[in-house]
């Protein structure tokens, strides 16, 4: 029994190292789903994915197949994708419009868009005198215990208890504020559809990589160098290379020592922020035109505040990696102990000129999409990490880089000065993990 084999899961996590089973044991994975993913606030999708009544998008929360659906009253509900009759999934497609109600494809039970039972064929003759019928809540589709929408980003929690979404997000809320504030209209719109990548590795390996500021100049060096060579060639021929080359060449030109200049700030619940180079203010004509629109919308003072937010990357543990200055979001959906789906989305700033959108599309395609070598570089390491951890070559994973030099104040842990490559974010994630995993 697991209870005997693993008496205290917190013992698997020490402040500077973690047991390998945390990544490879299927029973621990099940417990993680129960105690973390099926409890805390998990990102379902953006409200613009379901603009009209009846629009739905299916999404996985922990082990549960769910449906995010727009109701007739405009409200978004999150339902279990399961018919209360014999268990059939109500939506087999990833997304679509279900019309005015859901109709199960098996025996035609019908449900309103909020999940409430609408009708059962031959309800009177078939179910008279039974426990089933209109008034039995078991005949309606089960709903997520809690749903909240923050600036268009829809989250659900499958547990009725726990902090509100805002309390849960804490300072990591900056991911959504920064993204939306950069839009002249104060909101973003999803670009329909995302890339989906199934990684053959544990979900935590992906999250740990996101704020690992040491790895880019090693893992992505070859990609960065190749882009840099071409960038230089184009610049020589034409005087100036397109900005998109810089998105890749930075992986070679920002060397390991420079990454230490950045900083990670680590918050309760496992969330973290990496401050850094995206705070730069280019002065090309596209940016100048955008700045003008922003100043008109917000005034000079507020505009300066908005574009002065100096963050590169935010982790909302346990399910999101957000690069708000470039409107990128990756959602992590664990499928099994060694299988993880990532959904790779990007957004359009409402009211911003097209070239500004093209910039985020370029970053999406060149850095985050499955087509780029950057993503492939990372994926190869994730798979190799998982394979190595599944071996008996060692029991522990080390998170000791700059351990003991973190600066802690009021529960917030910052990497020390000039220690941006600190493994503080991983230590922070595992600290939250150990707390969540307590029975
Ligand atoms: S399983 Fe849905 S109506 Fe029978
Ligand atoms: Fe990477």
């Amino acid at each position: 029994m697991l209870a005997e084999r693993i008496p205290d899961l917190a013992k698997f996590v020490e402040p500077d190292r973690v047991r390998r089973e945390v990544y490879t044991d299927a029973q621990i994975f099940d417990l993680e789903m129960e105690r973390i993913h099926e409890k805390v606030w998990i990102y379902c999708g953006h409200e613009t994915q379901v603009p009209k009544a009846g629009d739905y998008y299916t999404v996985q929360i922990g082990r549960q197949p769910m449906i995010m659906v727009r109701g007739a009253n405009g409200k978004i509900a999150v339902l279990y994708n399961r018919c209360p009759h014999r268990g059939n999934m109500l939506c087999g497609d990833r997304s679509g419009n279900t019309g005015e109600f859901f109709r199960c494809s098996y025996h035609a039970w019908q449900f309103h868009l909020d999940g409430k039972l609408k009708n059962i064929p031959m309800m009177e003759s078939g179910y008279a005198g039974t426990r089933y019928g209109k008034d039995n809540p078991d005949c309606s589709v089960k709903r997520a215990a809690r749903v909240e929408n923050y600036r268009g980003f829809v989250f659900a929690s499958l547990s009725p208890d726990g902090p509100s979404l805002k309390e849960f997000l804490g300072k990591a809320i900056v991911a959504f504020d920064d993204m939306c504030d950069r839009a002249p209209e104060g909101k973003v719109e999803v670009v329909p559809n995302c890339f989906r990548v199934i990684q053959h590795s544990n979900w935590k390996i992906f999250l740990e990589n996101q704020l690992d500021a040491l790895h880019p100049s090693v893992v992505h060096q070859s990609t960065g160098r190749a882009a840099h060579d071409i960038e230089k060639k184009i610049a020589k021929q034409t005087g100036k290379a397109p900005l998109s080359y810089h998105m890749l060449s930075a992986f070679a030109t920002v060397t390991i020592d420079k990454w230490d200049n950045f900083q990670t700030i680590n918050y309760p619940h496992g969330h973290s922020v990496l401050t850094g180079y995206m705070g730069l203010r280019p002065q090309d004509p596209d940016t100048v035109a955008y700045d003008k629109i922003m100043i008109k919308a917000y005034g000079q003072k507020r505009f300066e505040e908005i574009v002065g937010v100096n963050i590169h990357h935010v982790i909302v543990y346990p399910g999101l990696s957000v690069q708000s200055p470039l409107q990128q979001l990756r959602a992590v959906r664990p499928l099994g102990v060694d299988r993880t789906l990532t959904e790779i989305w990007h957004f359009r700033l409402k009211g911003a000129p097209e070239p500004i959108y093209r910039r985020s599309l370029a970053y999406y395609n060149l850095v985050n999409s499955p087509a780029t070598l950057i993503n492939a570089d990372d994926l190869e390491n994730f798979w190799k990490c998982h394979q190595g951890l599944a071996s008996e070559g060692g029991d522990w994973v080390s998170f000791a880089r700059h351990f003991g030099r973190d600066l802690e104040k009021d529960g917030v842990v910052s990497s020390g000065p000039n220690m941006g490559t600190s493994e503080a974010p991983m230590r922070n994630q595992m600290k939250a993990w150990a707390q969540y995993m307590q029975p």
Side-chain angles (χ1 to χ4, degrees):
M1 282 298 289
L2 184 68
E4 292 154 14
R5 196 164 60 81
I6 306 171
D8 181 1
L9 278 168
K11 286 203 180 127
F12 279 54
V13 181
E14 293 181 8
D16 63 340
R17 62 178 193 167
V18 174
R19 291 278 304 189
R20 72 179 180 95
E21 291 88 343
V22 160
Y23 300 84
T24 58
D25 188 297
Q27 287 171 293
I28 292 182
F29 175 82
D30 270 343
L31 278 180
E32 286 176 330
M33 295 304 104
E34 192 186 305
R35 294 180 184 170
I36 305 178
H37 289 259
E38 293 169 10
K39 250 192 188 162
V40 306
W41 289 102
I42 296 290
Y43 178 64
C44 297
H46 194 262
E47 63 181 13
T48 53
Q49 282 169 245
V50 288
K52 296 189 303 293
D55 284 349
Y56 69 85
Y57 228 99
T58 60
V59 61
Q60 186 86 5
I61 297 185
R63 296 158 298 186
Q64 314 304 323
M66 308 295 291
I67 311 167
M68 174 174 80
V69 58
R70 176 82 69 171
N73 58 2
K75 269 195 90 173
I76 291 174
V78 178
L79 313 173
Y80 285 76
N81 192 1
R82 181 208 191 269
C83 176
H85 178 217
R86 298 246 292 271
N88 200 29
M89 285 209 301
L90 285 173
C91 298
D93 291 340
R94 185 165 291 144
S95 62
N97 184 287
T98 187
E100 288 173 13
F101 53 88
F102 289 106
R103 180 179 181 273
C104 180
S105 63
Y106 204 175
H107 314 94
W109 284 31
Q110 294 173 359
F111 309 94
H112 295 288
L113 297 176
D114 63 0
K116 242 179 146 242
L117 180 69
K118 181 175 186 298
N119 198 19
I120 297 175
M122 297 179 295
M123 178 139 62
E124 292 312 320
S125 57
Y127 288 92
T130 76
R131 69 171 80 205
Y132 292 96
K134 263 216 157 83
D135 301 326
N136 184 343
D138 288 347
C139 290
S140 290
V141 185
K142 188 174 168 186
R143 302 163 60 111
R146 295 180 294 160
V147 179
E148 282 194 40
N149 178 338
Y150 184 72
R151 299 192 74 169
F153 296 84
V154 179
F155 287 76
S157 160
L158 303 187
S159 162
D161 313 311
S164 70
L165 177 61
K166 270 195 176 171
E167 284 164 354
F168 168 77
L169 291 172
K171 295 276 188 202
I173 208 162
V174 71
F176 311 104
D177 285 335
D178 185 42
M179 204 190 289
C180 295
D181 289 347
R182 285 173 190 267
E185 292 177 24
K187 51 187 170 188
V188 295
E189 185 176 40
V190 80
V191 179
N193 235 329
C194 62
F195 288 120
R196 287 186 159 73
V197 176
I198 292 183
Q199 312 177 348
H200 292 263
S201 46
N202 186 264
W203 61 277
K204 297 186 291 299
I205 294 175
F206 173 85
L207 282 176
E208 286 159 7
N209 181 67
Q210 298 309 297
L211 263 55
D212 179 337
L214 193 137
H215 92 279
S217 45
V218 180
V219 175
H220 308 306
Q221 190 192 35
S222 54
T223 308
R225 222 186 254 161
H228 191 43
D229 287 348
I230 306 286
E231 185 183 29
K232 278 191 297 192
K233 218 180 260 175
I234 296 177
K236 208 168 159 196
Q237 283 163 0
T238 66
K240 194 172 175 296
L243 183 71
S244 48
Y245 280 92
H246 181 69
M247 292 173 181
L248 290 176
S249 64
F251 287 102
T253 53
V254 184
T255 48
I256 290 188
D257 47 320
K258 290 192 195 140
W259 278 99
D260 252 340
N261 297 335
F262 304 131
Q263 199 191 18
T264 62
I265 309 168
N266 304 288
Y267 298 106
H269 300 298
H271 312 320
S272 300
V273 165
L274 173 69
T275 64
Y277 66 88
M278 289 301 169
L280 287 179
R281 301 265 305 271
Q283 282 304 304
D284 58 286
D286 293 339
T287 308
V288 171
Y290 161 73
D291 287 358
K292 268 195 191 137
I293 297 173
M294 286 289 284
I295 292 165
K296 200 164 164 222
Y298 291 103
Q300 186 73 34
K301 187 168 167 274
R302 179 74 188 119
F303 161 74
E304 292 291 344
E305 276 169 18
I306 291 170
V307 294
V309 172
N310 182 27
I311 57 175
H312 174 42
H313 210 135
V314 183
I315 291 295
V316 180
Y317 190 79
L320 279 183
S321 146
V322 184
Q323 289 164 292
S324 47
L326 283 160
Q327 300 88 52
Q328 313 281 317
L329 177 149
R330 283 172 284 178
V332 184
R333 317 271 182 212
L335 303 178
V337 69
D338 58 356
R339 243 162 41 103
T340 304
L341 168 71
T342 48
E343 292 172 9
I344 309 167
W345 294 95
H346 75 303
F347 297 83
R348 194 184 273 275
L349 299 174
K350 292 269 277 180
E354 183 68 11
I356 297 298
Y357 165 64
R358 293 276 146 190
R359 197 173 286 175
S360 97
L361 176 63
Y363 193 87
Y364 183 66
N365 281 330
L366 291 172
V367 180
N368 286 342
S369 88
T372 159
L373 283 173
I374 299 289
N375 193 319
D377 293 336
D378 284 325
L379 282 175
E380 195 206 0
N381 275 327
F382 299 165
W383 173 72
K384 282 158 75 182
C385 268
H386 196 97
Q387 293 302 307
L389 291 175
S391 80
E392 287 169 9
D395 290 333
W396 295 92
V397 173
S398 161
F399 292 136
R401 190 171 174 84
H402 289 314
F403 176 63
R405 296 178 208 127
D406 300 334
L407 308 171
E408 185 159 0
K409 194 168 177 251
D410 302 330
V412 178
V413 177
S414 306
S415 49
N418 223 20
M419 293 175 200
T421 63
S422 168
E423 283 168 340
M426 300 78 167
R427 294 193 281 273
N428 192 50
Q429 288 172 23
M430 286 316 303
K431 190 168 120 192
W433 185 92
Q435 285 163 355
Y436 282 130
M437 292 294 275
Q438 296 288 344

